[in-house]
Amino acid sequence: MGKNKYLYITLLAVLGFQQEALAQAISSAPKLVVNITIDQLRADYLETYVPLYCRDGFKRLLEQGKIYTNASYNFAPIDRASAIATLSTGTIPYYHGIVGGEWLDKQTLQPVSCINNGQRRNTAANLQTSTMGDEMKLASKGVSLVYSFAPTADAAILSAGHAATGIAWASGNRWMNGTLDTPLPEWQNDFTKRIAVEKDVNRCVTDLAIKCLEQSSIGIDEEPDILNITFQQADTPRDTYISIDYNLSRLITRLESRFGHSRYLLVLTGTGYSKDQNNYESEERYHIPTGKFNIVRTANLLNMYLGAIYGPAKYVETCYRNQLFLNRQLIERLNINLSEFLKRSQDFLIQVEGVRNVYTSTQLMTSENSRLEKIRNGYCFDKCGDLIIEVAPGWKLVNEERHEYSTQRTSFFSFPIIFYGADLKHELIQTPVTVDRIAPTVAKAIRIRAPNACASEPLF
């Protein structure tokens, strides 16, 4: 009997210890996620200006953060809108539907914004999956707070998702608030009405974020909240990184004083692309292989070629950026085999000077070829063309009808993913990783499920 008594006491002590450890583990989960996206962040610029940084901005993150030094996006092409949608949803454009800041409406053959859906402007309705903010709202039965502030509407809206508490972005010298199904928080309404947006928009976005930390109840209760912030490029790289460093310092100092190091998790990364600063004339001057690829002229040549085979008609209805849109109703009415039609078109286009490769919609929707993975991941049938032309590196894509001009570059540049706070230890990880793994990592850290189209594994 005595032995059983001691065994019983020991068992209770062990169970009590386990329950206490479990309670500590649950309570130690961060209650605030601060998601910072720097448009066109580049590791080479980040490192170049280290001597000019203050103590509590980039330096603190680089010296104390958990840093994945070799991050990338697993789709192409990339722009600000498609990148931010991927960061917030943890999936690719093939699933979340944001293939770019604009795409061609197949009904009207006119460009439409990623945040306009015909019925509403400044909406996340085109985002076809849930975001981290949406999942927080679902897990907390609406209690979690989801704020998103940015220099542009697309960044603010796509970061937040469908169920935001408050969204704001800069428009000229005024703040604009997003379309919400619930009344705007009083503190935000007051701030955005009274405070003008000045030239340094990154500072203004930081001011609004700090006001949110001070005036709202974000990060205070036991339900997780999220604050999304986007910074943009200034006139020069030097000005950009010094300005962002200063504003990061202000923000981190405020977070540390209000929440301590363990109660919040800060995530910082970039949008994975960089606007080309070189121009066609400069490359031509230094004898770098280049040229001009005229997409409209190419579409006309293709129509002439197809007309010689199937009879005169306008088979290519229009073009947008590097995409050709076919008149599918005409092709169907003429009882033309679509697969054969696309293959003939592909074979013709690949011979045009300045073309590196041509992808067909059928190829992207059905092929399992791993070499096509990035292009396929960035493709949506209802928003993209029937023929996707990859222009040769260094060549200038020209669409004189739409006044579009861009130079093709496929060179790699490095940018990091940095996690800071939540009692994380400093670590440099050089293993290549993709940014769609950020969302499941955050979801795991705050003990909720990942967004509904996110199939990637957490980073840790």
Side-chain angles (χ1 to χ4, degrees):
M1 182 69 180
K3 289 183 179 180
N4 289 339
K5 177 180 177 181
Y6 288 123
L7 180 63
Y8 178 70
I9 293 173
T10 302
L11 182 61
L12 285 178
V14 169
L15 289 174
F17 175 77
Q18 289 179 337
Q19 287 181 337
E20 182 181 355
L22 179 62
Q24 288 178 350
I26 293 174
S27 64
S28 66
K31 300 307 176 185
L32 173 62
V33 176
V34 181
N35 179 47
I36 300 174
T37 305
I38 302 177
D39 192 23
Q40 303 175 66
L41 174 67
R42 289 174 46 162
D44 54 347
Y45 288 154
L46 179 62
E47 295 165 3
T48 296
Y49 302 110
V50 164
L52 304 178
Y53 298 153
C54 55
R55 184 175 62 86
D56 290 323
F58 280 129
K59 276 187 179 179
R60 179 185 281 227
L61 298 182
L62 294 173
E63 292 172 359
Q64 300 179 30
K66 187 182 186 76
I67 304 169
Y68 293 81
T69 61
N70 192 7
S72 66
Y73 285 77
N74 54 347
F75 66 89
I78 309 168
D79 69 358
R80 182 180 61 229
S82 60
I84 288 177
T86 290
L87 292 172
S88 65
T89 63
T91 191
I92 52 180
Y94 185 89
Y95 292 109
H96 64 58
I98 305 299
V99 296
E102 287 185 344
W103 53 76
L104 200 72
D105 186 305
K106 290 190 174 183
Q107 300 301 316
T108 65
L109 299 183
Q110 295 298 317
V112 294
S113 168
C114 64
I115 51 173
N116 296 343
N117 73 339
Q119 287 77 42
R120 298 173 66 182
R121 294 174 58 83
N122 301 326
T123 173
N126 289 321
L127 198 59
Q128 296 170 1
T129 65
S130 68
T131 65
M132 277 305 308
D134 297 334
E135 293 297 336
M136 285 185 184
K137 285 282 189 179
L138 288 169
S140 67
K141 296 182 172 56
V143 175
S144 290
L145 301 177
V146 179
Y147 286 101
S148 186
F149 309 128
T152 61
D154 59 340
I157 291 168
L158 297 175
S159 293
H162 305 276
T165 308
I167 308 172
W169 65 89
S171 178
N173 65 345
R174 298 175 54 203
W175 287 106
M176 301 293 290
N177 295 304
T179 303
L180 303 170
D181 295 327
T182 55
L184 197 67
E186 185 176 343
W187 73 264
Q188 181 182 332
N189 189 45
D190 179 61
F191 183 93
T192 54
K193 280 185 175 180
R194 289 190 306 103
I195 308 298
V197 178
E198 299 173 358
K199 183 177 179 180
D200 186 352
V201 68
N202 290 333
R203 178 169 183 163
C204 295
V205 167
T206 308
D207 289 343
L208 183 53
I210 290 174
K211 183 61 68 173
C212 177
L213 295 174
E214 294 173 345
Q215 296 294 318
S216 75
S217 58
I218 193 168
I220 299 301
D221 60 23
E222 291 306 305
E223 297 295 344
D225 304 317
I226 188 167
L227 173 60
N228 299 294
I229 302 167
T230 304
F231 292 130
Q232 71 175 20
Q233 294 289 305
D235 295 334
T236 66
R238 183 181 185 276
D239 291 341
T240 295
Y241 287 83
I242 293 175
S243 168
I244 293 176
D245 174 65
Y246 168 72
N247 288 300
L248 277 176
S249 175
R250 295 170 58 214
L251 184 66
I252 292 172
T253 300
R254 192 71 189 90
L255 287 165
E256 291 285 326
S257 65
R258 186 165 176 80
F259 301 109
H261 192 63
S262 62
R263 195 174 174 86
Y264 76 94
L265 173 64
L266 185 150
V267 187
L268 184 147
T269 192
T271 50
Y273 75 100
S274 179
K275 288 184 178 178
D276 183 25
Q277 299 301 315
N278 297 325
N279 57 53
Y280 168 78
E281 289 74 17
S282 295
E283 294 185 343
E284 191 176 45
R285 176 185 175 187
Y286 293 107
H287 309 293
I288 299 171
T290 186
K292 290 184 179 180
F293 176 77
N294 192 308
I295 188 74
V296 175
R297 190 176 304 159
T298 301
N300 292 336
L301 288 172
L302 180 59
N303 270 327
M304 292 172 61
Y305 168 75
L306 295 170
I309 300 172
Y310 300 107
K314 191 176 182 180
Y315 298 100
V316 180
E317 205 164 20
T318 191
C319 50
Y320 182 68
R321 294 181 178 165
N322 65 328
Q323 306 171 38
L324 300 181
F325 292 77
L326 301 179
N327 188 334
R328 288 202 171 215
Q329 291 182 342
L330 172 64
I331 295 169
E332 185 177 347
R333 190 168 67 246
L334 295 176
N335 201 29
I336 299 172
N337 181 283
L338 181 61
S339 296
E340 176 193 283
F341 188 92
L342 288 169
K343 185 65 171 65
R344 285 183 182 272
S345 301
Q346 184 182 38
D347 290 343
F348 173 81
L349 291 169
I350 201 70
Q351 301 176 60
V352 177
E353 188 179 17
V355 174
R356 172 73 177 273
N357 213 332
V358 180
Y359 309 97
T360 71
S361 55
T362 302
Q363 184 182 23
L364 293 175
M365 295 293 290
T366 61
S367 175
E368 295 298 324
N369 189 333
S370 60
R371 290 182 299 174
L372 301 180
E373 185 177 4
K374 274 198 168 187
I375 305 296
R376 183 171 56 245
N377 287 350
Y379 183 84
C380 282
F381 175 77
D382 59 332
K383 299 181 178 75
C384 298
D386 299 284
L387 293 158
I388 312 296
I389 299 174
E390 182 182 343
V391 180
W395 277 61
K396 187 173 185 178
L397 175 65
V398 176
N399 186 328
E400 293 174 347
E401 290 183 356
R402 297 187 185 276
H403 304 288
E404 296 172 351
Y405 310 91
S406 61
T407 303
Q408 178 70 25
R409 294 184 69 87
T410 57
S411 54
F412 171 81
F413 70 91
S414 176
F415 69 96
I417 301 170
I418 303 175
F419 293 90
Y420 176 80
D423 288 330
L424 292 173
K425 304 301 182 184
H426 174 59
E427 190 175 1
L428 283 177
I429 303 162
Q430 297 181 350
T431 305
V433 296
T434 52
V435 298
D436 55 333
R437 297 177 64 185
I438 294 175
T441 304
V442 171
K444 180 183 176 183
I446 61 175
R447 318 292 201 265
I448 67 169
R449 70 182 186 185
N452 59 16
C454 177
S456 303
E457 293 182 357
L459 290 166
F460 57 87

